[in-house]
């Protein structure tokens, strides 16, 4: 018979290498259905409501006591909302007069207050609706005796288990206390997997029924390379895993000698190895790995990390911090790329049948100057403090690029009138992630300063395979000949117009692809900071002429498997 202490090994897909040991915390993110019931004893129900509210107030008080600065101010204001008797008066009425259970009365009573706030003209007051919704969720969780897990405050050595982690959940995670992530769904190129790799956090996905098989508090070991999860691992298993971890660390130490070296091939072709980051805190990793700049700052993480739209001032401070820390090295900041798998609650985006083909990124920004302009203004202001370049995501045509550039021009004029400083010749580039743009690369390149190929999206739009859809993930390949030809078209188009072409999709650090990309003439490779040293080692071992020959041969091939085979053959010979 299987008891709980029997050792079991569960297998999923490893998406971020490394070994982690720790205790499970299961995140249930399905929406709870709140039942409506008629109660007899309204006094008892009111007592339940007041007790739940008091517990939430007590917890918040503890946070206020420990907080300092802006956090203290925010939490004090939040506490005042909770202590205002009018907050729960509608809920109390429903319990007293209509004899409705406390859970349902809280849901509907609070929703009417939330609506009043949402309809207020004052932006600050309208923003408080989110605080009230949060208080409502916390009270309801108490009434159901559930503990709402605060993702930003976890116990040391926590292994997070969830059906799926949203990108905004991942953005809130308390990384220093997490030893691993296990999810039931999610692909190698999902933003959660990308973030896990940035933080060197072991992660395993595609673990069927993980949230029911694994139990809260259970001790497990996870191998983010092989995708194995060991429940209650034996001493021997733990020792094996520690050995794997030791080798993993040693291979990282071995790469240390590539720190601060130039990124150039044996025959002297120099490329830029730069990094992808999400927040100013990631700059530490960029510097540690001696990347030559930042090729992609995904600015949406600043928006996802916050409960409401970050102001121009807040954005300016973040961009300035990154620019200053990078000390004159190029920092390419991408304007808001929301939509697809990146949801921001307070933007209240409508549900669409095909979000990846929908109203997202630059499309949404161009229609909403109250979102777009503060970001452009913040970027221009920060450009006075370092080498910032602006990049637009999801550009599909020259018309769109012109509209986006017109907004930058409008902000520059405002600054000229206001006498504000900014980098007059700030570079403006685009992500090449929609096939239409790769095809008209030569024409569109004449109107911008650089390209960065976003293979994560370019692949999905070329082969019509959603990047996170596991059922068809076998069709999503960076080695597809059509993807390779679009990359070539983008690089050639950029070079004909005299601009540089980079790549910031995950393919830029793929060991097999790097020689081909060098052969095609890619100028800049932007990647997870932890991949810089390994990529520099590969580049230093290559010969540009041999890579060009490889590219010539690859461009004649018609199938994905032939391309992959040829790349593997080259890799065995050279690297
Ligand atoms: C890409 O699409 O390749 C890219 C880098 O952008 P993101 O992964 O944020 O969509
Ligand atoms: Mg993209």
């Amino acid at each position: 018979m299987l008891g709980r202490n029997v050792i079991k090994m569960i297998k999923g897909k490893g998406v971020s290498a490394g070994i982690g040991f720790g205790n499970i915390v299961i995140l249930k993110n399905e929406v709870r259905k709140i039942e409506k019931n008629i109660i007899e004893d309204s006094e008892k129900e009111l007592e339940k409501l007041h007790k739940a509210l008091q517990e939430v107030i007590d917890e918040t008080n503890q946070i206020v006591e420990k907080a300092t600065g802006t956090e203290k101010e925010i939490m004090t204001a939040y506490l005042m909302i909770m202590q205002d008797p009018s907050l729960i008066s509608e809920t109390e009425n429903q319990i007293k007069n209509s004899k409705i259970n406390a859970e349902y009365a809280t849901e509907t009573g609070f929703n009417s207050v939330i609506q009043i706030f949402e309809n207020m003209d004052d932006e600050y007051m309208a923003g408080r609706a989110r605080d009230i919704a949060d208080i409502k969720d916390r009270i309801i969780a108490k009434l159901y005796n559930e503990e709402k897990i605060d993702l930003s405050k976890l116990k040391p050595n926590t292994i997070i288990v969830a059906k799926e982690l949203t990108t905004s959940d991942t953005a809130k995670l308390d990384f220093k206390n997490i030893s691993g992530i296990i999810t039931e769904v999610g692909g190698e190129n999902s933003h959660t997997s990308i973030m896990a790799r940035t933080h060197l956090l072991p992660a395993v996905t595609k673990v069927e029924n993980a949230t029911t098989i694994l139990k809260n508090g259970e001790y497990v070991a996870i191998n983010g390379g092989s995708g194995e999860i060991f429940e209650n691992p034996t001493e021997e298993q733990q020792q094996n895993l520690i050995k794997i971890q030791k080798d993993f660390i040693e291979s990282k130490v071995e790469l240390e000698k590539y720190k601060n070296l130039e990124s150039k091939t044996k025959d002297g072709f120099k490329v830029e190895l730069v990094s992808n980051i999400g927040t100013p805190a990631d700059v530490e990793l960029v510097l540690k790995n001696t990347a030559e700049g930042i090729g992609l700052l995904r600015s949406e993480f600043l928006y996802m990390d916050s409960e409401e739209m970050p102001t121009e001032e807040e954005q300016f401070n973040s961009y300035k911090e990154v620019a200053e820390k990078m000390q004159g090295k190029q920092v390419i900041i991408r304007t808001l790329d929301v939509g697809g798998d990146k949801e921001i609650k307070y933007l209240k985006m409508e549900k669409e049948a095909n979000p990846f083909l929908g109203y997202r990124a630059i499309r949404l920004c161009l229609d909403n100057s109250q979102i777009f302009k503060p970001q452009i203004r913040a970027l221009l202001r920060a450009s006075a403090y370092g080498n910032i370049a602006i990049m637009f995501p999801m550009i599909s045509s020259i018309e769109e690029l012109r509209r986006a550039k017109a907004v930058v021009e409008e902000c520059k004029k405002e600054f000229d009138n206001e006498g504000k400083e900014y980098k007059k010749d700030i570079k403006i580039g685009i992500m090449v992630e929609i096939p239409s743009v790769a095809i008209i690369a030569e024409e569109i390149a004449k109107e911008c300063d650089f390209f960065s190929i976003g293979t994560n999206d370019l692949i999905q739009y070329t082969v019509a395979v959603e990047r996170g859809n596991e059922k068809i993930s076998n069709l999503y390949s960076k080695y597809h000949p059509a993807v390779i030809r679009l990359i070539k078209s983008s690089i050639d188009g950029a070079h004909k117009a005299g601009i540089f072409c980079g790549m910031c999709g995950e393919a830029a650090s793929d060991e097999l692809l790097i020689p081909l990309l060098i052969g095609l003439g890619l100028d800049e490779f932007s990647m997870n900071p932890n991949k810089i040293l390994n990529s520099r080692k590969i580049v230093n071992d290559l010969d540009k002429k041999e890579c060009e020959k490889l590219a010539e041969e690859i461009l004649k091939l018609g199938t994905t498997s032939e391309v992959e085979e040829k790349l593997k053959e080259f890799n065995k010979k050279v690297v």
Side-chain angles (χ1 to χ4, degrees), residues 35-49:
E35 304 274 350
K36 178 179 178 180
N37 296 315
I38 300 299
I39 41 115
E40 284 182 4
D41 188 346
S42 51
E43 279 311 312
K44 202 166 135 207
E45 211 64 10
L46 280 172
E47 219 175 273
K48 257 172 63 181
L49 170 71

Side-chain angles (χ1 to χ4, degrees), residues 154 157-160 173-181 201:
L154 296 165
N157 303 322
T158 294
I159 305 250
I160 293 283
L173 288 176
D174 173 14
F175 285 102
K176 68 178 182 317
N177 285 329
I178 300 179
S179 309
I181 297 178
L201 204 62

Side-chain angles (χ1 to χ4, degrees), residues 334 337 342 360 394 431 433 454 456-457 467:
R334 180 174 73 183
D337 183 12
K342 289 176 276 197
R360 53 173 299 202
M394 292 290 294
M431 296 276 303
E433 51 187 346
N456 305 344
D457 278 319
R467 64 200 254 186

Side-chain angles (χ1 to χ4, degrees), residues 317-329:
N317 285 327
S318 299
Y319 305 147
K320 175 173 171 265
E321 183 183 338
V322 176
E324 284 181 337
K325 283 187 179 155
M326 290 304 294
Q327 298 182 354
K329 293 194 175 118

